[in-house]
Amino acid sequence: MSWTTIKLVDQLVKIVEPSRVKFDPSDLDYYGKDWSNAAKPDPSAIVFPISIKEIQGIVSLANKLNFPLVPSGGRTGLSGGALACGREVVVSFDRMNRILNFDEADNLVACEPGVITGDLKKFAESKGLFYPVDFASSGASQLGGNVATNAGGINVLRYGMTRNWVEGMKVVTGAGELLDLNRGLKKNATGFDFRHLFIGSEGTLGFIVELTLELTSQPKDPTVMLLGLQKIENTVKTLTIFKEKLNLTAFEFFSGTAMQKVIEAKALSSPFDHIYPFYTLVEFENDCERQLNVASALYDKCISSGYVVEGVVSQSQRQAENLWKFREGITESIASHNPFKSDVSCRISKIPTFLRKLEKILGGFSPHFEAVLFGHLGDGNIHINLLEPIEMDSQKFQEECKRLSKLIFKLVQSCDGSISAEHGIGLTKRPYLNYSRDDAELNYMRGVKCLFDPKNIMNPGKLVDI
């Protein structure tokens, strides 16, 4: 440990207990990275605050001694937003993991930022309610990180992004000031709502230290249809038909390659006699017999129109969960292939054009690449996963993928889409932000960053350059 680090640790232990400052190499490596593995972690120390007062002390010290801070939640991000590779102090919220109180009249729950997403979902269920933000990493991701990246997931079509459920928050800005934003109000017409600046800011403006989140009623008898399709453009045509008369809770799509990977990795039985080029998964609330009749009629319409070849519908909650396994198991089933991931979005009306052009780009770029496509088609979000060929050097694979990324981002730009639908910008997509934001927007983003974090100590190098 260097002399500089020793002096830094001496100052940190005046703010938090010595046992809550870590600097062993194994701790630095574990807490200094996220799931992106975008660069080698190199933090100077890890600190575990347990109160807002301690966080303010850490931020004040960082301003005084001019050292950078990186927030650390569940570290499940894929864009390097929680990566510490420049001797930063990592501020882990693992110890700030309490559900503070629940207001039954307002259906509002106050939480510390380190609460695991899945734990809040369980708490909501214990109250007969529902927290709708859901995704593959909900068992490890933390609420603070969800809000900092405006996380989406499988329920966005019906319930919207994380932003829709944040009714209040407390933040410690980069200047060390504590702000109490909106205070759980449904109506508040008092000017700028800074809450929405911090949602999606990826820790670059300050630390989220407390959240007030809204819960809602539980969905009634969610029913799932899994459909096999021959053509990629038929995915959107199928969505259009089902949206006509059903209030969908989810509409997912994935490729036949994705289905094959899940079946092999999870030892699942194929739902049909053979693998189709594409699949869609439709979920709706089957709260009365009429809903199922409507869904059956819409399915028949898709069959007669030639958009769908074959389908199956769940007859119980267990069957619904089993059908979801084909979609939810994709990420884990391809993890061993070291996938290069990109998540993008565009308006639903432009998705057929986007998908057709994407197929041409992927097909013409490299015959060695195997692409796995899936996503939340109902809200325009496509996840593109390129699997690393066994015979290709990892560094060359990454270089090739970066070249391909530029082609994909140019396509996204031509469709007026976003280069990041729900994974954030972080470190890995920062060089490409201009594909989604023009120069004027970027300058205003830099101005907001300087206002809340004048010394650039909060997660520097992420999201936007200053």
Side-chain angles (χ1 to χ4, degrees):
M1 186 166 58
S2 69
W3 175 245
T4 302
T5 303
I6 292 173
K7 290 196 295 182
L8 177 59
V9 170
D10 285 344
Q11 294 297 314
L12 289 172
V13 298
K14 294 178 181 178
I15 301 170
V16 304
E17 295 175 354
S19 63
R20 290 190 276 115
V21 179
K22 306 288 187 183
F23 45 84
D24 289 340
S26 59
D27 292 319
L28 298 178
D29 181 74
Y30 182 76
Y31 288 98
K33 62 185 178 183
D34 57 17
W35 284 3
S36 69
N37 291 318
K40 181 177 174 58
D42 187 29
S44 59
I46 318 296
V47 60
F48 299 83
I50 59 172
S51 69
I52 294 174
K53 183 179 179 181
E54 287 185 350
I55 293 173
Q56 285 186 282
I58 294 166
V59 174
S60 295
L61 181 64
N63 276 284
K64 180 180 177 181
L65 301 183
N66 196 30
F67 61 84
L69 302 171
V70 172
S72 176
R75 301 178 305 286
T76 59
L78 297 169
S79 297
L83 182 64
C85 53
R87 304 304 294 162
E88 305 96 334
V89 171
V90 173
V91 180
S92 171
F93 290 92
D94 282 2
R95 308 287 180 91
M96 295 183 68
N97 58 4
R98 297 177 299 160
I99 293 176
L100 300 171
N101 61 67
F102 171 65
D103 190 320
E104 187 174 357
D106 293 314
N107 282 352
L108 294 179
V109 57
C111 303
E112 290 183 320
V115 172
I116 300 296
T117 311
D119 290 344
L120 177 59
K121 294 179 74 67
K122 292 175 183 176
F123 175 84
E125 290 173 5
S126 74
K127 302 295 183 181
L129 296 169
F130 183 56
Y131 182 64
V133 179
D134 196 7
F135 33 78
S137 63
S138 61
S141 67
Q142 296 178 7
L143 297 177
N146 294 352
V147 174
T149 56
N150 191 26
I154 61 176
N155 291 328
V156 172
L157 177 60
R158 170 71 180 276
Y159 297 102
M161 304 282 280
T162 295
R163 182 185 304 277
N164 298 58
W165 302 94
V166 181
E167 296 296 341
M169 67 166 71
K170 293 180 181 178
V171 299
V172 173
T173 71
E177 297 171 310
L178 177 65
L179 304 181
D180 190 356
L181 306 176
N182 198 58
R183 301 179 179 87
L185 297 173
K186 270 295 182 184
K187 287 188 173 183
N188 184 1
T190 55
F192 301 126
D193 190 344
F194 292 139
R195 173 181 41 151
H196 292 291
L197 282 177
F198 281 83
I199 299 172
S201 66
E202 302 185 33
T204 60
L205 306 181
F207 290 147
I208 297 167
V209 295
E210 188 178 310
L211 289 162
T212 301
L213 301 171
E214 184 180 9
L215 307 181
T216 190
S217 57
Q218 294 181 342
K220 298 178 181 179
D221 193 14
T223 298
V224 173
M225 282 185 172
L226 183 64
L227 312 175
L229 298 81
Q230 291 288 358
K231 298 179 180 179
I232 198 167
E233 58 265 30
N234 288 347
T235 56
V236 178
K237 293 176 180 177
T238 302
L239 170 63
T240 301
I241 287 177
F242 272 95
K243 283 177 66 177
E244 286 178 4
K245 297 180 180 179
L246 280 182
N247 188 7
L248 303 179
T249 53
F251 191 96
E252 302 285 301
F253 107 103
F254 50 100
S255 63
T257 304
M259 171 65 88
Q260 189 66 57
K261 297 296 183 186
V262 172
I263 289 173
E264 292 173 358
K266 300 290 186 179
L268 300 176
S269 298
S270 175
F272 307 119
D273 290 337
H274 63 277
I275 300 296
Y276 286 100
F278 299 97
Y279 296 85
T280 60
L281 185 147
V282 186
E283 184 183 79
F284 59 95
E285 288 189 60
N286 183 18
D287 53 357
C288 64
E289 185 177 349
R290 178 183 171 277
Q291 287 291 87
L292 190 57
N293 291 336
V294 169
S296 298
L298 296 175
Y299 169 75
D300 291 340
K301 184 176 181 179
C302 288
I303 291 287
S304 62
S305 300
Y307 302 151
V308 172
V309 182
E310 190 176 1
V312 62
V313 60
S314 63
Q315 301 297 321
S316 66
Q317 184 176 351
R318 183 179 182 85
Q319 288 182 2
E321 292 171 353
N322 287 337
L323 290 177
W324 264 111
K325 289 179 181 179
F326 294 109
R327 164 61 184 87
E328 292 181 323
I330 296 173
T331 298
E332 185 178 351
S333 69
I334 63 175
S336 62
H337 297 273
N338 190 29
F340 185 91
K341 297 172 177 286
S342 188
D343 92 295
V344 300
S345 69
C346 62
R347 289 167 56 181
I348 294 172
S349 61
K350 296 186 177 184
I351 282 182
T353 298
F354 175 82
L355 290 176
R356 284 195 297 269
K357 291 183 177 180
L358 177 63
E359 271 196 314
K360 291 181 180 179
I361 290 174
L362 295 176
F365 191 79
S366 174
H368 304 292
F369 285 2
E370 189 174 22
V372 173
L373 302 179
F374 64 91
H376 322 299
L377 199 69
D379 53 63
N381 181 191
I382 308 298
H383 293 272
I384 305 163
N385 298 263
L386 305 176
L387 308 189
E388 181 178 313
I390 298 176
E391 68 277 7
M392 184 176 287
D393 176 74
S394 292
Q395 183 174 350
K396 183 179 180 182
F397 172 67
Q398 293 295 321
E399 291 171 355
E400 290 288 290
C401 288
K402 288 178 180 178
R403 287 178 52 218
L404 179 56
S405 290
K406 290 185 178 181
L407 297 178
I408 294 174
F409 293 157
K410 286 180 179 179
L411 172 59
V412 170
Q413 187 178 43
S414 71
C415 294
D416 297 320
S418 170
I419 65 167
S420 180
E422 59 182 4
H423 289 167
I425 296 299
L427 188 68
T428 61
K429 287 192 174 182
R430 189 192 64 194
Y432 311 108
L433 189 54
N434 62 299
Y435 286 96
S436 289
R437 299 295 189 105
D438 62 28
D439 289 342
E441 286 183 292
L442 291 172
N443 284 332
Y444 277 113
M445 290 172 70
R446 294 184 185 103
V448 171
K449 165 73 169 172
C450 291
L451 177 64
F452 285 95
D453 181 27
K455 289 192 176 182
N456 192 29
I457 65 167
M458 306 302 291
N459 217 6
K462 314 296 172 51
L463 184 57
V464 65
D465 291 312
I466 64 168

